[in-house]
Amino acid sequence: MRKFRFGFNSRQQEIDRWMQVCRSAEEAGYDAVQVPDHLGAASPFALLAAAAAATSRVRLGTLVLNNEFWNPALLAREAATVDRISGGRLELGLGAGHMKSEFEAAGIPWRSHAERLERLERSIGELDRLFAEDGQEPLPHQVPRPPLLIGANGDAGLALAARHADIVGFAGLTQIKGRRMGTFRVDDLDEARRRVDFVRAKAGQRADALEFNMLAQAVVVTDDAEKSAAELVEGYSETGLDTVRKVLDCPYVLVGTAEEIAAKLVGNREELGFSYITTHGPFREALGRVIPVVREKVGEQQAGPTG
């Protein structure tokens, strides 16, 4: 069973004090600083370079880059540079992209999901070539390449991750058909089980080597889990989490005392394999209260800079 690791995704509101945020998170016990790739948000590799300068231990990850925004040669240059200046701490997270409005704003063609996945798979192969010993300078510090995280939720994307990823990123979100782009349904426990079982089956002999990352959509530390869950139902009802029980059972929503959340994370690691836990920036401090409880509960130390 893999050791726990904990990360957080950057938030736009903290860009002016980003280096202090990263230092504080490292001191609080986080194992990874992660950044998204959206128009309207800060440059992912600039943020990671700043995080590298501000820290000495935490891993530095993209969660995840929109493959359609990047030419493989230019992406390899950016990734290798951050990996080199950080002493080999980069985790390269890739996805197929899902926000049509961002494609339109950037003047990038909006291709079908199948086409975007095909192009993502081609980019992965090209990156492997560029990162090889006789590839494009600068080469990354990590050999043969930085760990590859692939974020997906549909079967086709998860099958691709099972073939190529070192880390599979489960966000637990599915676009609701017929609704405005960016309106998601949150997977319940049964659906999370199905997706995990699907990846393990598709990975075959690779399954035991995969690390599973889970993006917690909310973390609420409270002495009254049912009351807080009921409040979340009001905002989550359209996502499928329309009862208190569904909220409390959902692996992507963490509600309760630090001890209760820690017990849930330990149980989810045993059942689902979710050992790498990330949350969004607004919940960084809440998850930070849970991290030492989890580590004490399972008798684990913080991960080092190599994971």
PDB file of all heavy atoms in Angstrom, residues 22-23 26-27 30-31 33 50-60 85-89 303-306:
ATOM      1  N   CYS A  22       3.504  28.875  -0.341  1.00  0.00           N
ATOM      2  CA  CYS A  22       4.232  27.626  -0.558  1.00  0.00           C
ATOM      3  C   CYS A  22       5.115  27.281   0.630  1.00  0.00           C
ATOM      4  O   CYS A  22       5.185  26.119   1.065  1.00  0.00           O
ATOM      5  CB  CYS A  22       5.067  27.718  -1.836  1.00  0.00           C
ATOM      6  SG  CYS A  22       4.087  27.860  -3.333  1.00  0.00           S
ATOM      7  N   ARG A  23       5.814  28.288   1.177  1.00  0.00           N
ATOM      8  CA  ARG A  23       6.652  28.035   2.353  1.00  0.00           C
ATOM      9  C   ARG A  23       5.808  27.561   3.529  1.00  0.00           C
ATOM     10  O   ARG A  23       6.163  26.605   4.235  1.00  0.00           O
ATOM     11  CB  ARG A  23       7.427  29.291   2.726  1.00  0.00           C
ATOM     12  CG  ARG A  23       8.656  29.549   1.872  1.00  0.00           C
ATOM     13  CD  ARG A  23       9.515  30.655   2.463  1.00  0.00           C
ATOM     14  NE  ARG A  23       8.871  31.956   2.325  1.00  0.00           N
ATOM     15  CZ  ARG A  23       9.095  32.804   1.311  1.00  0.00           C
ATOM     16  NH1 ARG A  23       9.935  32.469   0.347  1.00  0.00           N
ATOM     17  NH2 ARG A  23       8.478  33.962   1.269  1.00  0.00           N
ATOM     18  N   GLU A  26       4.611  23.953   3.037  1.00  0.00           N
ATOM     19  CA  GLU A  26       5.686  22.984   3.289  1.00  0.00           C
ATOM     20  C   GLU A  26       5.897  22.793   4.788  1.00  0.00           C
ATOM     21  O   GLU A  26       6.030  21.665   5.268  1.00  0.00           O
ATOM     22  CB  GLU A  26       6.977  23.459   2.617  1.00  0.00           C
ATOM     23  CG  GLU A  26       8.119  22.463   2.741  1.00  0.00           C
ATOM     24  CD  GLU A  26       9.324  22.856   1.909  1.00  0.00           C
ATOM     25  OE1 GLU A  26       9.918  23.926   2.185  1.00  0.00           O
ATOM     26  OE2 GLU A  26       9.667  22.102   0.984  1.00  0.00           O
ATOM     27  N   GLU A  27       5.889  23.893   5.521  1.00  0.00           N
ATOM     28  CA  GLU A  27       6.046  23.815   6.977  1.00  0.00           C
ATOM     29  C   GLU A  27       4.875  23.094   7.627  1.00  0.00           C
ATOM     30  O   GLU A  27       5.037  22.439   8.672  1.00  0.00           O
ATOM     31  CB  GLU A  27       6.183  25.220   7.557  1.00  0.00           C
ATOM     32  CG  GLU A  27       7.479  25.920   7.157  1.00  0.00           C
ATOM     33  CD  GLU A  27       7.473  27.402   7.489  1.00  0.00           C
ATOM     34  OE1 GLU A  27       6.439  27.880   8.030  1.00  0.00           O
ATOM     35  OE2 GLU A  27       8.472  28.086   7.193  1.00  0.00           O
ATOM     36  N   TYR A  30       2.566  19.618   4.008  1.00  0.00           N
ATOM     37  CA  TYR A  30       2.162  19.233   2.659  1.00  0.00           C
ATOM     38  C   TYR A  30       3.344  18.620   1.909  1.00  0.00           C
ATOM     39  O   TYR A  30       4.505  18.970   2.139  1.00  0.00           O
ATOM     40  CB  TYR A  30       1.612  20.440   1.891  1.00  0.00           C
ATOM     41  CG  TYR A  30       0.143  20.661   2.123  1.00  0.00           C
ATOM     42  CD1 TYR A  30      -0.307  21.545   3.101  1.00  0.00           C
ATOM     43  CD2 TYR A  30      -0.796  19.964   1.381  1.00  0.00           C
ATOM     44  CE1 TYR A  30      -1.663  21.735   3.320  1.00  0.00           C
ATOM     45  CE2 TYR A  30      -2.160  20.150   1.591  1.00  0.00           C
ATOM     46  CZ  TYR A  30      -2.585  21.029   2.556  1.00  0.00           C
ATOM     47  OH  TYR A  30      -3.941  21.204   2.786  1.00  0.00           O
ATOM     48  N   ASP A  31       3.021  17.711   0.999  1.00  0.00           N
ATOM     49  CA  ASP A  31       4.035  17.024   0.198  1.00  0.00           C
ATOM     50  C   ASP A  31       4.129  17.562  -1.222  1.00  0.00           C
ATOM     51  O   ASP A  31       5.104  17.276  -1.927  1.00  0.00           O
ATOM     52  CB  ASP A  31       3.708  15.524   0.119  1.00  0.00           C
ATOM     53  CG  ASP A  31       3.599  14.893   1.480  1.00  0.00           C
ATOM     54  OD1 ASP A  31       4.625  14.808   2.168  1.00  0.00           O
ATOM     55  OD2 ASP A  31       2.481  14.495   1.867  1.00  0.00           O
ATOM     56  N   VAL A  33       2.894  20.940  -4.047  1.00  0.00           N
ATOM     57  CA  VAL A  33       2.241  22.162  -4.484  1.00  0.00           C
ATOM     58  C   VAL A  33       1.823  21.930  -5.936  1.00  0.00           C
ATOM     59  O   VAL A  33       2.638  21.528  -6.758  1.00  0.00           O
ATOM     60  CB  VAL A  33       3.207  23.359  -4.406  1.00  0.00           C
ATOM     61  CG1 VAL A  33       2.596  24.587  -5.068  1.00  0.00           C
ATOM     62  CG2 VAL A  33       3.594  23.647  -2.966  1.00  0.00           C
ATOM     63  N   ALA A  50       8.476  29.665  -9.082  1.00  0.00           N
ATOM     64  CA  ALA A  50       8.493  30.437  -7.844  1.00  0.00           C
ATOM     65  C   ALA A  50       8.405  29.517  -6.629  1.00  0.00           C
ATOM     66  O   ALA A  50       9.094  29.717  -5.622  1.00  0.00           O
ATOM     67  CB  ALA A  50       7.341  31.439  -7.834  1.00  0.00           C
ATOM     68  N   ALA A  51       7.545  28.487  -6.736  1.00  0.00           N
ATOM     69  CA  ALA A  51       7.432  27.523  -5.627  1.00  0.00           C
ATOM     70  C   ALA A  51       8.740  26.788  -5.410  1.00  0.00           C
ATOM     71  O   ALA A  51       9.135  26.508  -4.264  1.00  0.00           O
ATOM     72  CB  ALA A  51       6.306  26.536  -5.923  1.00  0.00           C
ATOM     73  N   ALA A  52       9.452  26.477  -6.495  1.00  0.00           N
ATOM     74  CA  ALA A  52      10.745  25.808  -6.375  1.00  0.00           C
ATOM     75  C   ALA A  52      11.732  26.674  -5.615  1.00  0.00           C
ATOM     76  O   ALA A  52      12.513  26.182  -4.780  1.00  0.00           O
ATOM     77  CB  ALA A  52      11.293  25.468  -7.762  1.00  0.00           C
ATOM     78  N   ALA A  53      11.714  27.978  -5.880  1.00  0.00           N
ATOM     79  CA  ALA A  53      12.630  28.892  -5.201  1.00  0.00           C
ATOM     80  C   ALA A  53      12.274  29.075  -3.732  1.00  0.00           C
ATOM     81  O   ALA A  53      13.155  29.337  -2.900  1.00  0.00           O
ATOM     82  CB  ALA A  53      12.625  30.246  -5.914  1.00  0.00           C
ATOM     83  N   ALA A  54      10.986  28.928  -3.408  1.00  0.00           N
ATOM     84  CA  ALA A  54      10.523  29.192  -2.046  1.00  0.00           C
ATOM     85  C   ALA A  54      10.613  27.980  -1.127  1.00  0.00           C
ATOM     86  O   ALA A  54      10.500  28.121   0.087  1.00  0.00           O
ATOM     87  CB  ALA A  54       9.085  29.696  -2.083  1.00  0.00           C
ATOM     88  N   THR A  55      10.792  26.791  -1.693  1.00  0.00           N
ATOM     89  CA  THR A  55      10.716  25.555  -0.910  1.00  0.00           C
ATOM     90  C   THR A  55      11.923  24.669  -1.188  1.00  0.00           C
ATOM     91  O   THR A  55      12.695  24.915  -2.116  1.00  0.00           O
ATOM     92  CB  THR A  55       9.441  24.773  -1.265  1.00  0.00           C
ATOM     93  OG1 THR A  55       9.482  24.409  -2.663  1.00  0.00           O
ATOM     94  CG2 THR A  55       8.185  25.587  -0.991  1.00  0.00           C
ATOM     95  N   SER A  56      12.048  23.619  -0.396  1.00  0.00           N
ATOM     96  CA  SER A  56      13.173  22.697  -0.593  1.00  0.00           C
ATOM     97  C   SER A  56      12.742  21.242  -0.683  1.00  0.00           C
ATOM     98  O   SER A  56      13.522  20.406  -1.150  1.00  0.00           O
ATOM     99  CB  SER A  56      14.176  22.836   0.561  1.00  0.00           C
ATOM    100  OG  SER A  56      13.559  22.503   1.799  1.00  0.00           O
ATOM    101  N   ARG A  57      11.513  20.923  -0.270  1.00  0.00           N
ATOM    102  CA  ARG A  57      11.115  19.524  -0.152  1.00  0.00           C
ATOM    103  C   ARG A  57       9.906  19.169  -0.997  1.00  0.00           C
ATOM    104  O   ARG A  57       9.860  18.080  -1.600  1.00  0.00           O
ATOM    105  CB  ARG A  57      10.821  19.196   1.325  1.00  0.00           C
ATOM    106  CG  ARG A  57      10.345  17.780   1.574  1.00  0.00           C
ATOM    107  CD  ARG A  57       9.914  17.572   3.028  1.00  0.00           C
ATOM    108  NE  ARG A  57       8.882  18.505   3.432  1.00  0.00           N
ATOM    109  CZ  ARG A  57       7.589  18.381   3.142  1.00  0.00           C
ATOM    110  NH1 ARG A  57       7.160  17.369   2.409  1.00  0.00           N
ATOM    111  NH2 ARG A  57       6.711  19.281   3.557  1.00  0.00           N
ATOM    112  N   VAL A  58       8.904  20.026  -1.056  1.00  0.00           N
ATOM    113  CA  VAL A  58       7.640  19.644  -1.676  1.00  0.00           C
ATOM    114  C   VAL A  58       7.808  19.352  -3.163  1.00  0.00           C
ATOM    115  O   VAL A  58       8.633  19.960  -3.853  1.00  0.00           O
ATOM    116  CB  VAL A  58       6.547  20.723  -1.499  1.00  0.00           C
ATOM    117  CG1 VAL A  58       6.119  20.825  -0.052  1.00  0.00           C
ATOM    118  CG2 VAL A  58       7.008  22.068  -2.049  1.00  0.00           C
ATOM    119  N   ARG A  59       7.010  18.395  -3.647  1.00  0.00           N
ATOM    120  CA  ARG A  59       6.946  18.131  -5.074  1.00  0.00           C
ATOM    121  C   ARG A  59       6.156  19.259  -5.741  1.00  0.00           C
ATOM    122  O   ARG A  59       5.349  19.956  -5.100  1.00  0.00           O
ATOM    123  CB  ARG A  59       6.260  16.791  -5.335  1.00  0.00           C
ATOM    124  CG  ARG A  59       6.940  15.599  -4.681  1.00  0.00           C
ATOM    125  CD  ARG A  59       8.203  15.195  -5.366  1.00  0.00           C
ATOM    126  NE  ARG A  59       7.940  14.603  -6.673  1.00  0.00           N
ATOM    127  CZ  ARG A  59       8.899  14.239  -7.516  1.00  0.00           C
ATOM    128  NH1 ARG A  59      10.167  14.422  -7.211  1.00  0.00           N
ATOM    129  NH2 ARG A  59       8.596  13.691  -8.678  1.00  0.00           N
ATOM    130  N   LEU A  60       6.368  19.435  -7.040  1.00  0.00           N
ATOM    131  CA  LEU A  60       5.782  20.540  -7.787  1.00  0.00           C
ATOM    132  C   LEU A  60       5.018  19.961  -8.967  1.00  0.00           C
ATOM    133  O   LEU A  60       5.618  19.352  -9.860  1.00  0.00           O
ATOM    134  CB  LEU A  60       6.873  21.486  -8.277  1.00  0.00           C
ATOM    135  CG  LEU A  60       7.887  21.929  -7.207  1.00  0.00           C
ATOM    136  CD1 LEU A  60       9.099  22.577  -7.851  1.00  0.00           C
ATOM    137  CD2 LEU A  60       7.228  22.873  -6.206  1.00  0.00           C
ATOM    138  N   ILE A  85      15.686  23.225 -12.207  1.00  0.00           N
ATOM    139  CA  ILE A  85      15.924  24.237 -11.177  1.00  0.00           C
ATOM    140  C   ILE A  85      15.422  23.791  -9.809  1.00  0.00           C
ATOM    141  O   ILE A  85      15.873  24.307  -8.784  1.00  0.00           O
ATOM    142  CB  ILE A  85      15.303  25.599 -11.552  1.00  0.00           C
ATOM    143  CG1 ILE A  85      13.782  25.525 -11.595  1.00  0.00           C
ATOM    144  CG2 ILE A  85      15.872  26.111 -12.865  1.00  0.00           C
ATOM    145  CD1 ILE A  85      13.130  26.880 -11.849  1.00  0.00           C
ATOM    146  N   SER A  86      14.520  22.813  -9.792  1.00  0.00           N
ATOM    147  CA  SER A  86      13.987  22.319  -8.509  1.00  0.00           C
ATOM    148  C   SER A  86      14.749  21.100  -8.001  1.00  0.00           C
ATOM    149  O   SER A  86      14.404  20.563  -6.939  1.00  0.00           O
ATOM    150  CB  SER A  86      12.508  21.961  -8.661  1.00  0.00           C
ATOM    151  OG  SER A  86      12.339  20.845  -9.522  1.00  0.00           O
ATOM    152  N   GLY A  87      15.742  20.640  -8.742  1.00  0.00           N
ATOM    153  CA  GLY A  87      16.471  19.453  -8.312  1.00  0.00           C
ATOM    154  C   GLY A  87      15.685  18.168  -8.485  1.00  0.00           C
ATOM    155  O   GLY A  87      15.892  17.203  -7.746  1.00  0.00           O
ATOM    156  N   GLY A  88      14.764  18.156  -9.460  1.00  0.00           N
ATOM    157  CA  GLY A  88      14.023  16.939  -9.756  1.00  0.00           C
ATOM    158  C   GLY A  88      12.760  16.750  -8.951  1.00  0.00           C
ATOM    159  O   GLY A  88      12.444  15.649  -8.513  1.00  0.00           O
ATOM    160  N   ARG A  89      11.986  17.834  -8.795  1.00  0.00           N
ATOM    161  CA  ARG A  89      10.761  17.738  -7.989  1.00  0.00           C
ATOM    162  C   ARG A  89       9.473  17.845  -8.804  1.00  0.00           C
ATOM    163  O   ARG A  89       8.374  17.848  -8.244  1.00  0.00           O
ATOM    164  CB  ARG A  89      10.768  18.822  -6.905  1.00  0.00           C
ATOM    165  CG  ARG A  89      11.793  18.568  -5.813  1.00  0.00           C
ATOM    166  CD  ARG A  89      11.611  19.533  -4.659  1.00  0.00           C
ATOM    167  NE  ARG A  89      12.244  20.824  -4.896  1.00  0.00           N
ATOM    168  CZ  ARG A  89      11.807  21.981  -4.381  1.00  0.00           C
ATOM    169  NH1 ARG A  89      10.705  22.008  -3.649  1.00  0.00           N
ATOM    170  NH2 ARG A  89      12.454  23.105  -4.626  1.00  0.00           N
ATOM    171  N   ALA A 303       6.621  12.468   3.132  1.00  0.00           N
ATOM    172  CA  ALA A 303       7.407  12.029   1.994  1.00  0.00           C
ATOM    173  C   ALA A 303       8.542  13.010   1.750  1.00  0.00           C
ATOM    174  O   ALA A 303       8.427  14.195   2.029  1.00  0.00           O
ATOM    175  CB  ALA A 303       6.522  11.931   0.737  1.00  0.00           C
ATOM    176  N   GLY A 304       9.663  12.507   1.229  1.00  0.00           N
ATOM    177  CA  GLY A 304      10.779  13.363   0.873  1.00  0.00           C
ATOM    178  C   GLY A 304      10.568  13.953  -0.507  1.00  0.00           C
ATOM    179  O   GLY A 304       9.563  13.729  -1.160  1.00  0.00           O
ATOM    180  N   PRO A 305      11.534  14.770  -0.981  1.00  0.00           N
ATOM    181  CA  PRO A 305      11.386  15.435  -2.268  1.00  0.00           C
ATOM    182  C   PRO A 305      11.303  14.497  -3.457  1.00  0.00           C
ATOM    183  O   PRO A 305      10.852  14.894  -4.531  1.00  0.00           O
ATOM    184  CB  PRO A 305      12.631  16.327  -2.366  1.00  0.00           C
ATOM    185  CG  PRO A 305      13.607  15.728  -1.400  1.00  0.00           C
ATOM    186  CD  PRO A 305      12.789  15.133  -0.307  1.00  0.00           C
ATOM    187  N   THR A 306      11.708  13.250  -3.286  1.00  0.00           N
ATOM    188  CA  THR A 306      11.608  12.291  -4.392  1.00  0.00           C
ATOM    189  C   THR A 306      10.329  11.469  -4.326  1.00  0.00           C
ATOM    190  O   THR A 306      10.147  10.516  -5.067  1.00  0.00           O
ATOM    191  CB  THR A 306      12.809  11.327  -4.393  1.00  0.00           C
ATOM    192  OG1 THR A 306      12.886  10.665  -3.128  1.00  0.00           O
ATOM    193  CG2 THR A 306      14.093  12.087  -4.658  1.00  0.00           C
TER     194      THR A 306
END
